[in-house]
Amino acid sequence: MEEQNREYMQLALQLAQNGVGRTAPNPPVGAVIVRDGAVVGKGFHPKAGEPHAEVFALIHAGARAKGADVYVTLEPCSHQGKTGPCADALIAAGVKRVFIGVQDPNPQVAGRGIEKLRQAGIDVVTGVEGADCRRLLAPFARQITTGLPYCIYKTAMTLDGKTATSSGDSKWISGEQSRLLVHQLRDRVEAIMVGIGTVLADDPLLNTRLPESSGRDPLRVVVDSQLRMPLEAKMLSQESQAKTLIATCSRDDEKIVALRLTGAEVLSLPEVEERVCLQSLWQELGKRNVQRLLLEGGTTLAGAALKQGLIDQMMVFVAPKLIGGGSDFGIFSGEGCQQLKNAVPLSDLRYQQVGEDILITGEVERCSQA
């Protein structure tokens, strides 16, 4: 029975993936309804304002939901928002048992949905595939508890730890399949960020390019303390449904006006040591319902974000190449820690073969090098 429960919850997790990057400020959730050993209802939450996963699954199941088991990745909500409480909907449908992956970290719920179901006489089992459900929920949990986005730092390096040759050539460290995976990731985040150094060196589009469709472009964020952004940068003139946000602490009013005339938004933020205050920028993005922030370029920016405890997950593509030499092109710049005992640890490590590359993904434990 336990193995069956895990299989049904894994199906719910697969359904939830359909909403990743689309549901903010809500979390992605999947639900499965099982009766007499058969799946009779499936659903996921597609975007904020639309019914939650449980409601879609109940609609799919219809009368077959009565006396059935429900598998849902997140505790059913117990409060009235843009949609009604899912706990009430499950009670009204007469379900027998509810298997839950993880309790909702939202203070408005936080166990109240579970308690409501139990008070109605419904058996509730929690923690089914809890690790995978927590991993799915991590960006929502980060934002709802801190107001900050969940930051994923994606980078690529050779087997000897280089991100470029001594001349600065970095195209391409990773292989074609890895680059495709990155565009799939861009399609599932709310914002993508680079430093101005990356813009000046590569003039990137920072859009989503997928072979089967155009995909969805995330908000483009450029950290540009001194406002060196070229007016002719490709990302400012491309056709895209997403905007470009330039975060700066410069007071160059003439350049600000010129950039705004291109359609870009210029966000003036406090400065720390003549650089944009990253804490303020993360807070601003959190207010804009950015749950998943993809940090893609700029070793200086990445080094500062790591030092301030703003990176939540590392995605490192390791290519089977050797550049050699003493080049100092690494994935972070800056001073870093002085002793290994102060190194930032990673947990929940996963390894994946992507073409010829190896993708290493891990959660950055909540600490700072400062």
Side-chain angles (χ1 to χ4, degrees):
M1 184 63 182
E2 183 178 343
E3 184 62 31
Q4 283 186 326
N5 290 340
R6 294 181 61 185
E7 290 178 2
Y8 291 135
M9 188 62 78
Q10 283 295 329
L11 176 56
L13 282 161
Q14 291 173 21
L15 290 165
Q17 288 294 331
N18 292 305
V20 171
R22 269 53 176 184
T23 61
N26 298 337
V29 180
V32 172
I33 300 178
V34 178
R35 181 171 175 175
D36 299 327
V39 175
V40 297
K42 296 188 291 185
F44 68 93
H45 181 45
K47 65 179 182 179
E50 293 199 11
H52 292 178
E54 300 94 320
V55 174
F56 278 113
L58 287 170
I59 292 171
H60 185 198
R64 295 173 295 178
K66 187 174 178 63
D69 292 337
V70 179
Y71 296 81
V72 59
T73 56
L74 178 66
E75 173 186 4
C77 61
S78 58
H79 63 288
Q80 178 71 44
K82 292 184 178 180
T83 59
C86 291
D88 290 354
L90 292 171
I91 293 168
V95 304
K96 181 182 178 181
R97 290 184 296 184
V98 178
F99 296 86
I100 296 170
V102 65
Q103 180 175 304
D104 196 331
N106 185 346
Q108 289 185 292
V109 185
R112 294 181 181 88
I114 294 171
E115 183 62 26
K116 181 176 280 193
L117 292 171
R118 285 176 171 158
Q119 287 180 354
I122 297 173
D123 290 336
V124 178
V125 179
T126 61
V128 181
E129 296 295 85
D132 286 346
C133 290
R134 282 190 295 274
R135 189 181 297 158
L136 170 72
L137 189 67
F140 170 76
R142 174 73 163 150
Q143 186 191 29
I144 200 71
T145 57
T146 69
L148 305 178
Y150 179 89
C151 178
I152 305 164
Y153 179 35
K154 185 281 301 179
T155 188
M157 68 179 187
T158 60
L159 194 57
D160 54 346
K162 305 296 195 305
T163 60
T165 67
S166 58
S167 66
D169 181 21
S170 61
K171 291 188 176 180
W172 295 98
I173 293 291
S174 57
E176 185 176 346
Q177 291 186 44
S178 294
R179 297 196 296 275
L180 173 60
L181 192 152
V182 169
H183 281 277
Q184 292 170 343
L185 178 60
R186 287 182 179 185
D187 181 54
R188 296 160 72 83
V189 300
E190 288 84 18
I192 180 172
M193 179 184 291
V194 297
I196 185 59
T198 297
V199 176
L200 296 175
D202 300 333
D203 195 14
L205 290 169
L206 298 186
N207 59 4
T208 299
R209 301 183 295 280
L210 296 172
E212 65 273 15
S213 67
S214 60
R216 187 199 63 171
D217 293 343
L219 170 71
R220 295 175 292 275
V221 182
V222 179
V223 181
D224 183 8
S225 299
Q226 304 306 315
L227 222 53
R228 295 184 289 158
M229 184 76 173
L231 297 176
E232 63 276 9
K234 290 178 182 177
M235 73 175 71
L236 299 179
S237 59
Q238 68 175 319
E239 291 186 10
S240 174
Q241 73 272 32
K243 292 185 176 180
T244 296
L245 173 67
I246 302 170
T248 188
C249 51
S250 170
R251 298 297 181 263
D252 186 342
D253 292 338
E254 184 176 341
K255 185 65 176 290
I256 290 174
V257 170
L259 285 168
R260 286 174 175 166
L261 287 174
T262 70
E265 178 182 356
V266 180
L267 177 65
S268 295
L269 292 170
E271 66 178 70
V272 176
E273 297 179 353
E274 299 183 346
R275 295 184 182 274
V276 167
C277 174
L278 296 185
Q279 291 282 349
S280 297
L281 177 54
W282 259 243
Q283 289 168 3
E284 177 64 29
L285 293 175
K287 291 176 184 176
R288 297 179 182 220
N289 288 328
V290 172
Q291 277 186 11
R292 289 159 59 92
L293 168 64
L294 180 60
L295 178 56
E296 272 214 13
T299 59
T300 300
L301 175 59
L306 178 69
K307 186 174 183 179
Q308 295 177 44
L310 294 171
I311 295 177
D312 298 280
Q313 184 183 92
M314 292 291 301
M315 290 184 66
V316 183
F317 292 89
V318 181
K321 302 172 183 176
L322 299 172
I323 289 178
S327 168
D328 59 356
F329 284 94
I331 62 175
F332 296 106
S333 64
E335 186 176 341
C337 64
Q338 296 295 311
Q339 296 181 314
L340 277 175
K341 66 179 182 180
N342 296 324
V344 177
L346 300 182
S347 60
D348 192 20
L349 292 174
R350 287 94 73 193
Y351 308 91
Q352 177 184 350
Q353 182 95 32
V354 185
E356 293 185 345
D357 303 330
I358 298 294
L359 171 60
I360 303 173
T361 304
E363 307 305 304
V364 179
E365 294 197 7
R366 188 56 52 205
C367 58
S368 171
Q369 289 191 343

